Amino acid sequence: NEGTGNTTADASSFNRTGALSGNTQWGVFRGNEILKNLEQLPERPNVGFVRGTYGLSVQDVVVRDSIMNLKQTITQYQLINGQPVAVDTTYQYAAVDQDVYNENGVIVSTVPVAFDSSFAISNLNYYSKSPQKYEIMSFVTPYGIGLDLGATGKRWEFDVTDFAPVLKGNKRISIERGGENQEELDIKFVFTEGTPPRNVLSIQQIWPVIQANYTDMNANKYYEPRSITLNPNLATSKIRSTVSGHGQEGEFTSRTHFLNLNGGTNEFTFNLTKECSLNPVYPQGGTWVYDRMGWCPGMATDLREFPTTQYLQAGATTTFDYGVQAAAGDSRYIASHQLVQYGAANYTLDAAIAEVKKPTNKIEQGRRNPVCMNPVVRITNTGSAALTALKITYGLAGEPQTDYQWTGNLAFMASQDVTLNVPDLGTTAGNFLVSLSNPNGGADQNPDNNTVSSPYNPPLLVPYNIVIELKSNSSPTQNSFVVKNAAGTTIKSRSGLALNTTYRDTLNLANGCYEFILTDTGNDGLSWWANTAQGSGYVRFKNAATGAIIKNFNADFGGEVYQQFSPGSNVATEAAAETADLLQVFPNPVSEKLTIDIALETATNANLEIVDITGRTIYTAVFHNIQNKTLDLDVSSYPKGMYLAVLKGNSAVKTVKFVVQ
């Protein structure tokens, strides 16, 4: 307040209309109440106050005002390197009729506005980018109900040499799509020094690895045609392809897939059907025996390698397309396609041992191992010259080695399985050695890949006189077996089985190695929980002299039982190891009838108990002087959950878990 004498005012006496107590009138406004043009000044105002008596009269005057419209921002985009980039921006008024409003917000008139120019708006089709993920391998974890992977689990090996360009520096490695939440998984990378057959120039994930329905795939919403400019130093190339089918039709129905290069006729067509009944991880819970598209539970997704060298030109640009020729229903696929480009071959004459298939302890070959005869090795031509001749030297470590002269015609990077003639590797564990030399009669330029040592574990040791005991189920025409010696001669076979009948065939064996193969054309074993209509059977080896069980094979074997064996005098240790399987239950899980199969080494008294998860015994059976017994138990009234079948004999206790669902 500025002034003289008693001219003062108290701010608290103001009201919103500007009236001051007494006769003085004021006009007071705060800055945030002023509509426009408020300007803050640093000067202090010089204010004078006048005292007097005044009258206030207010008259409203209505005026019509206009406010200038804002211009619209118009941005034009262009695709540059596959991504939208703003290339031009203009500001224009929208040519639309303008409404006029009164003070109450009611439209009182409309002013037409004509356009003097226009823009055509169109869509730019592009794909978002993200850091590239490389799928090193695709593996489906096994179905876990009733599954036993042993104390050390199962180990699978994969060659990841093609990923050399990206397996450098700091990388993030992840396990995705749910398998990381199932079994415990460990990953180890092993680096082998040396010069590879050819240098990997690059590996490129052609499309992101996603799950897509066939309709979206064929509409190019996913896995659309993509163009790649090739390395100017390209010498050879291939496409690595892993595709797995999902959804009811996609998982179980075979479809034709294709890979196309630069349009026209499809260069590669393939279907995904994979045989699951010979899965080396067995038995499993669930429907593990069903054939699936590209995958089986407990196995890697099938890897297909398509040679593309003849279709690709160094430095050129090639368009790649993938799809399904026709499908229906819920057909979804997870597809990984990688283009691998290589430089020229580093060797002219070079042969390599890619793998020892027999004998080996690798789980991949677990269905046909252990063996005692006729080893199988895979050789690969890793030199640029066609491989036509090769010396293969093999045998157990510490024993005389055998030479085999191989002849054939393998192109660069082509492979072939070679069976080596060994009638009997013996009954002593050791290491099987194999080495290569003299490719095409010359010197091998890379000796680092010429020698491999593979562990040899002798197969089952049996007495000279054994009995093969086979009980058929309710689908006996699906089963047959054959026994052959090392020369491939059949010494015993059986087919044309009758319904639910027990067969006993005696073998009088000479020294040597033999193989036993029992096949099931239904691919669901002698007993399987998902096919209770076929009933249950069993197959076992027994000592012909004593009746003792030597080997009791699991009835839930899928498509085949394969066993190599040798006769000998020291059978006791081997037999003791095999008689651990005294009790089997199936199906598992079960909902109605549970079949319990008892196989004891010798006739004895035994008790069978069914115990629930709380430890309460809910069923008991007493047997006198039994050795083999099969009984059916109705569990339809049992509450859902986990149970134990406990067999107590004179010298052993066997416990098996099963689930009522």
Side-chain angles (χ1 to χ4, degrees):
N1 298 320
E2 291 189 2
T4 59
N6 296 321
T7 306
T8 62
D10 185 354
S12 65
S13 65
F14 292 112
N15 60 31
R16 298 287 300 197
T17 64
L20 181 66
S21 59
N23 296 322
T24 305
Q25 299 295 318
W26 293 80
V28 180
F29 300 90
R30 293 188 179 277
N32 61 3
E33 296 178 4
I34 299 177
L35 179 61
K36 294 182 179 180
N37 303 321
L38 174 66
E39 183 179 0
Q40 183 176 353
L41 299 175
E43 292 84 359
R44 180 178 181 182
N46 186 6
V47 181
F49 297 93
V50 179
R51 172 177 288 185
T53 301
Y54 303 92
L56 178 65
S57 119
V58 178
Q59 183 178 0
D60 293 333
V61 178
V62 178
V63 298
R64 185 169 291 169
D65 196 6
S66 62
I67 301 174
M68 181 180 292
N69 283 336
L70 296 176
K71 290 184 176 182
Q72 302 291 322
T73 301
I74 301 173
T75 304
Q76 292 179 303
Y77 289 86
Q78 179 180 342
L79 290 182
I80 299 177
N81 294 327
Q83 288 295 100
V85 177
V87 295
D88 187 28
T89 301
T90 60
Y91 303 94
Q92 305 290 338
Y93 291 108
V96 295
D97 292 348
Q98 301 297 306
D99 295 327
V100 179
Y101 299 85
N102 65 15
E103 66 274 16
N104 297 318
V106 178
I107 298 175
V108 296
S109 65
T110 300
V111 178
V113 178
F115 70 89
D116 54 16
S117 63
S118 63
F119 290 92
I121 300 176
S122 59
N123 293 324
L124 290 178
N125 294 321
Y126 68 95
Y127 298 88
S128 60
K129 292 185 177 180
S130 59
Q132 184 169 160
K133 286 184 179 181
Y134 294 86
E135 185 181 81
I136 296 179
M137 49 80 65
S138 172
F139 189 96
V140 182
T141 54
Y143 292 161
I145 299 176
L147 178 67
D148 184 4
L149 294 176
T152 59
K154 306 295 183 183
R155 186 182 73 180
W156 300 76
E157 296 182 7
F158 304 92
D159 184 353
V160 295
T161 303
D162 287 337
F163 296 90
V166 297
L167 291 178
K168 297 178 180 179
N170 295 326
K171 296 292 187 295
R172 171 173 289 184
I173 299 176
S174 62
I175 301 172
E176 303 178 359
R177 300 191 182 277
E180 69 277 16
N181 301 318
Q182 302 296 320
E183 282 69 39
E184 184 178 69
L185 305 174
D186 298 312
I187 299 177
K188 178 191 293 185
F189 288 89
V190 179
F191 177 73
T192 302
E193 290 189 70
T195 301
R198 51 187 176 177
N199 294 335
V200 183
L201 300 178
S202 68
I203 181 171
Q204 180 171 352
Q205 198 83 40
I206 304 177
W207 298 275
V209 183
I210 58 175
Q211 182 173 148
N213 186 274
Y214 78 98
T215 54
D216 289 336
M217 294 166 59
N218 290 345
N220 287 332
K221 184 177 180 180
Y222 306 102
Y223 302 108
E224 76 290 345
R226 290 200 170 192
S227 297
I228 297 176
T229 300
L230 305 176
N231 193 297
N233 298 317
L234 172 69
T236 58
S237 62
K238 70 182 179 186
I239 294 177
R240 293 169 48 98
S241 173
T242 56
V243 183
S244 57
H246 305 273
Q248 182 61 36
E249 283 79 7
E251 182 173 342
F252 298 107
T253 303
S254 179
R255 310 289 187 191
T256 300
H257 297 242
F258 68 85
L259 281 168
N260 182 278
L261 311 180
N262 289 326
T265 304
N266 294 327
E267 283 75 13
F268 305 104
T269 59
F270 55 97
N271 67 68
L272 306 178
T273 304
K274 185 175 179 67
E275 171 65 65
C276 293
S277 67
L278 298 181
N279 195 322
V281 179
Y282 77 98
Q284 300 179 34
T287 56
W288 69 274
V289 304
Y290 288 157
D291 293 352
R292 288 175 165 85
M293 298 303 109
W295 63 276
C296 296
M299 298 182 72
T301 302
D302 281 346
L303 170 64
R304 293 174 174 82
E305 296 186 324
F306 300 104
T308 56
T309 302
Q310 61 178 315
Y311 305 108
L312 305 184
Q313 181 179 351
T317 298
T318 299
T319 300
F320 298 82
D321 192 17
Y322 159 71
V324 184
Q325 290 186 349
D330 186 9
S331 296
R332 290 172 279 122
Y333 301 94
I334 301 174
S336 174
H337 299 290
Q338 298 153 338
L339 174 64
V340 189
Q341 302 182 61
Y342 301 96
N346 290 321
Y347 306 102
T348 302
L349 282 181
D350 182 33
I353 302 173
E355 181 184 8
V356 176
K357 290 189 171 183
K358 300 178 185 180
T360 183
N361 57 5
K362 292 182 179 179
I363 185 61
E364 296 94 321
Q365 308 297 335
R367 277 279 186 166
R368 288 294 177 116
N369 277 281
V371 298
C372 50
M373 61 180 176
N374 299 336
V376 176
V377 300
R378 168 162 287 196
I379 62 173
T380 301
N381 178 21
T382 44
S384 59
L387 184 64
T388 58
L390 184 68
K391 185 169 80 170
I392 305 176
T393 303
Y394 59 94
L396 291 177
E399 297 185 5
Q401 304 294 290
T402 302
D403 291 335
Y404 171 70
Q405 188 63 41
W406 173 87
T407 57
N409 194 336
L410 289 181
F412 178 51
M413 299 307 297
S415 299
Q416 179 180 325
D417 290 345
V418 180
T419 300
L420 304 173
N421 182 28
V422 180
D424 189 0
L425 285 168
T427 58
T428 302
N431 290 306
F432 177 76
L433 305 178
V434 58
S435 62
L436 309 179
S437 60
N438 302 336
N440 294 354
D444 194 300
Q445 295 174 326
N446 180 26
D448 291 341
N449 56 17
N450 288 356
T451 302
V452 169
S453 174
S454 183
Y456 171 65
N457 297 307
L460 180 65
L461 187 64
V462 302
Y464 285 96
N465 300 311
I466 66 170
V467 172
I468 299 176
E469 186 173 85
L470 169 64
K471 177 184 177 295
S472 64
N473 58 18
S474 298
S475 300
T477 58
Q478 296 180 352
N479 301 117
S480 62
F481 76 77
V482 62
V483 180
K484 296 182 179 181
N485 61 19
T489 303
T490 298
I491 63 172
K492 178 61 72 172
S493 65
R494 183 170 286 281
S495 59
L497 307 182
L499 189 74
N500 298 316
T501 303
T502 300
Y503 298 89
R504 296 179 179 86
D505 294 290
T506 301
L507 302 182
N508 299 313
L509 305 171
N511 287 328
C513 183
Y514 299 84
E515 67 175 3
F516 168 76
I517 307 173
L518 170 66
T519 58
D520 183 87
T521 57
N523 291 327
D524 53 5
L526 288 169
S527 176
W528 188 43
W529 70 271
N531 185 12
T532 56
Q534 75 169 353
S536 61
Y538 61 79
V539 60
R540 56 187 57 141
F541 287 179
K542 301 175 70 174
N543 188 315
T546 66
I549 296 174
I550 304 167
K551 174 82 172 185
N552 194 37
F553 298 94
N554 197 309
D556 184 7
F557 57 78
E560 177 185 272
V561 170
Y562 184 87
Q563 178 70 62
Q564 288 198 17
F565 57 95
S566 293
S569 56
N570 184 23
V571 181
T573 302
E574 294 289 334
E578 297 300 333
T579 56
D581 290 326
L582 300 175
L583 180 65
Q584 294 185 103
V585 297
F586 39 83
N588 190 9
V590 61
S591 57
E592 296 181 357
K593 185 181 72 173
L594 179 72
T595 298
I596 303 173
D597 188 18
I598 302 171
L600 303 178
E601 183 178 2
T602 58
T604 185
N605 297 329
N607 292 347
L608 175 68
E609 298 178 353
I610 303 298
V611 182
D612 67 13
I613 197 65
T614 67
R616 181 172 61 96
T617 301
I618 59 177
Y619 174 84
T620 300
V622 179
F623 305 106
H624 298 284
N625 196 34
I626 67 160
Q627 185 170 3
N628 302 307
K629 180 71 175 179
T630 299
L631 67 153
D632 295 326
L633 181 64
D634 184 2
V635 297
S636 59
S637 62
Y638 287 18
K640 295 181 179 180
M642 180 78 73
Y643 293 84
L644 300 177
V646 183
L647 180 67
K648 299 178 180 180
N650 288 342
S651 59
V653 176
K654 178 65 177 178
T655 302
V656 176
K657 297 179 183 178
F658 67 93
V659 175
V660 175
Q661 64 177 10

